[in-house]
Amino acid sequence: PNRQDDTEKMEKNLHEIMLRELKPNEAKIYKLLYIQNLSDQETAQKMGYTKENKNEGCIVIAKIKKVIISKVKQLRINGELDLTHEN
């Protein structure tokens, strides 16, 4: 297997673990940001935030991004998530 195949496997594994670990609303934002690769603004729009409440949407997304990063760190510390190419 080449390095790209390994990277794609790790990415798929990461997504599966994160979608399982996150709360439904967090998982929805995770999918939009990290699987569909939408911007924060596009994600806010998909989540139903409008120009009138865009700031609120950005705040919610920023908080959930922090939750996602914290979860990844915790999963790595606990040994539940290995992001090396040696799997």
Side-chain angles (χ1 to χ4, degrees):
N2 67 34
R3 203 146 176 81
Q4 177 152 355
D5 289 341
D6 289 345
T7 300
E8 288 171 2
K9 283 183 200 172
M10 286 187 321
E11 181 180 22
K12 184 178 182 213
N13 184 45
L14 172 63
H15 292 328
E16 287 173 1
I17 291 169
M18 291 307 295
L19 292 172
R20 184 177 63 233
E21 294 292 324
L22 295 169
K23 295 175 185 171
N25 198 45
E26 296 167 348
K28 185 174 182 179
I29 290 175
Y30 178 89
K31 285 181 200 176
L32 294 170
L33 290 171
Y34 301 110
I35 297 175
Q36 295 181 22
N37 295 311
L38 299 181
S39 69
D40 288 8
Q41 292 78 16
E42 292 168 320
T43 299
Q45 186 178 5
K46 291 270 188 184
M47 294 297 294
Y49 294 100
T50 62
K51 288 182 182 180
E52 291 76 32
N53 64 359
K54 185 175 81 171
N55 287 341
E56 180 185 340
C58 289
I59 291 168
V60 168
I61 289 168
K63 286 181 182 180
I64 290 179
K65 284 171 97 173
K66 287 180 183 180
V67 168
I68 291 167
I69 291 167
S70 176
K71 283 237 196 249
V72 169
K73 287 179 181 177
Q74 193 59 50
L75 289 167
R76 291 198 67 204
I77 289 169
N78 293 345
E80 298 172 54
L81 180 63
D82 183 6
L83 298 177
T84 65
H85 282 280
E86 299 169 10
N87 286 347

